[in-house]
Amino acid sequence: MTASMPSEKTMIAQTRWRLWLAASVSRRLTLGLIVALLVSAALVVALGLAAGQSALRRQQEDAARRMARLFEASLENAMLKRDLDGMADILKRLGHTPGVTQARLLSPDGEVRFDSRDGGPLGGVRMTTDGQVLRQDSPPSARQLCASADCPERLLWNADSAGDRLQIVHPIRNQAPCAPCHGAAGEYPVNGLLTIDFQPQAIAGLERGSALLMAAAVLGALALFSLMLLLTLRRQVTEPLTTLARAADQLAAGRLDARVQSGARDELGRVAHAFDHMADRLSDTVASLRREQQFLQQLIDGMPDPVLVIGLDYRIRLANQAYAALLGHELPAVVGQPCHQIGCGLAEPCPSTLLTCPVAEIKLRAAPVRSMMSFKRADGSAVDVDIEAAPLALENGDTLVIEVIRPLERTLRFSQQQRLSTIGLLANGVAHEIHNPLASIRLALQASLRGLRGGHMEREELTGYLELVDHEIDRCVLTTRRMMQMSQAPTQTLQPVGVAAAIDDVLALLREECRVRGVAVNVDGVPQALRVMGDEAELRQVLVNLVHNALHAMPEGGKIDIGGTASDDGQWFTLSVRDTGCGIAAEDLSLIFLPFFSHRADGQRGTGLGLAISKATMERFGGRIEASSTPGRGSDFRLILRRAPDALADNVLDDK
């Protein structure tokens, strides 16, 4: 069984042969035409041989009939003269005629009278009309083969070792001149039988020559036809198909200018025209996509923050110049690479047990994610970033992750700028807090100067004025100190911060604005000794943002309640800022902590960054901020702060 299986080389050769044929229509057409040519030639030669053999047999039979009639006339003449030797000589010459092997003259009952091979009269031998010898004791019925008047002329084809042999059995009819010897024609219609055997070699040779000639003619005609057909197919079919395939390959390789440019109007010409039209549309579509991609790239490049579009396979689909600049890479080297390799220098995705990977989180739950990570720049340095990520569902069912990245140092710097901006908004209250003490100081000094110039001011009165000046100067110093605390840059480490002092400072700066807006402020439940972990300036910034938002929510006046409660375990303190304003719509409540979201009740357009910064600040403190609201009745913002350990709080009090 193993020996009958084809070898590996044979199978490889067969595979290569099939691939070679499959690669070209022209090759398959040529091979098909060759096979069709050979099969057609074989069929035509076979049919030609059959037809030629039939025609040759008919010709041979006609020649045999003519020869039999010719010798019949000679034999009749010799018989009338009773020239037996002449008859024998005629048969002998007939037997030596080219193509004739034997000639006999038989009696009506089959007895051989003359044979060309013996040359003389024979007796005692009888034969059938098919040339078979009969015994002498054969019954008369078997010997009387042509005793009737309807004895026909017979042509017999017999096969022997030399091939097909033709034998003609020609009856010699009884005529009136023959009556004296053979009797009346009505009683004896046949005088004898002339049998002639023709040489089969001559017939076979003629057949082979005709067959070869016919085969050559047929093969030549078919070859010419196949050549013309092949040339026609090559020009009309294979060459256009080759051109079309070449253009398709070029188009698939990215050469969008590849065209067939056929001038034909047939089916293949229409296919070529359709291909060119399709290529034009494809080129236009690709150009449009490139323009849209370029516009999209320019759009995200115009964003100041680094932006990434990442697939769920962690590969970067799109990035802007800010991201490439942040990490020190060229933009083309970023797109298409795994985000963990570019951002963190890792060969595998970031371990979810050590940090929050936005892509991994969104793969588990398609919801916005915020994370803080440390990126690794191209020069090896690290940069801490804050990442806001959100899923983007596409129409084809795929999901992309959109990441907006902000370096923490930039976030802190931006927070400082926002803080300074807030101080600018407090300018009216600050001016009032400084203007009133300065006015009092001026009045006291003017009164002191008048008394001293007139010489009628008592020491006690002058002392009173100086004490007033000192008190008002303390008020100014306190105001400037509060402003300085608001404007300080945040510290890198958290410190114990007094909550009551922070509230007093903020309300002092906003007292005038509260008065102008007709808003009353009540503080309750905040111990003076309470300390929480945070930053002096940032906690005041959060409180300013919350009180400002409350003032904006009450354009017609109202009330602000500031209070607090400690947790049961004493580790947390919740500071609440409640107002009686217009409240927040339910659909907006989940959006208020997003950057740039602003919906003020007084109709003014805010920056939308106050609550976002407050949220980030509270998370840096290790706490959080919560909000609840009832439209038309007000809002409640709660700061959940981590209380400072008693030891740290006591140290702070001792320092002060």
Side-chain angles (χ1 to χ4, degrees), residues 66-123:
R66 290 194 297 271
M67 185 177 293
R69 292 189 182 94
L70 177 61
F71 279 91
E72 178 186 8
S74 300
L75 289 173
E76 287 179 353
N77 186 35
M79 291 173 63
L80 290 175
K81 295 179 179 180
R82 296 181 178 272
D83 186 2
L84 298 179
D85 293 334
M87 294 175 62
D89 184 60
I90 291 172
L91 284 177
K92 185 176 181 180
R93 289 198 305 270
L94 178 59
H96 289 82
T97 303
V100 177
T101 59
Q102 189 175 9
R104 299 185 185 92
L105 184 61
L106 285 69
S107 65
D109 60 355
E111 181 181 357
V112 179
R113 296 291 181 86
F114 296 94
D115 192 330
S116 62
R117 292 180 179 177
D118 296 327
L122 299 175

Side-chain angles (χ1 to χ4, degrees), residues 140-218:
S141 59
R143 299 196 300 269
Q144 300 297 326
L145 299 177
C146 289
S148 62
D150 58 351
C151 179
E153 181 181 67
R154 300 183 183 185
L155 293 170
L156 303 175
W157 289 92
N158 300 312
D160 56 17
S161 60
D164 290 342
R165 178 171 57 85
L166 174 61
Q167 183 185 61
I168 185 171
V169 180
H170 181 74
I172 300 176
R173 308 292 180 181
N174 189 3
Q175 298 180 19
C178 302
C181 295
H182 295 279
E187 186 177 357
Y188 302 98
V190 178
N191 291 338
L193 298 173
L194 175 63
T195 65
I196 305 174
D197 294 341
F198 292 91
Q199 184 178 4
Q201 290 81 2
I203 299 175
L206 184 60
E207 290 179 351
R208 285 195 296 271
S210 300
L212 292 175
L213 181 61
M214 182 179 299
V218 169

Side-chain angles (χ1 to χ4, degrees), residues 409-422:
E409 57 182 13
R410 178 180 170 187
T411 302
L412 295 176
R413 185 167 60 252
F414 188 80
S415 177
Q416 176 69 6
Q417 294 173 355
Q418 177 68 14
R419 186 177 298 108
L420 296 177
S421 176
T422 302

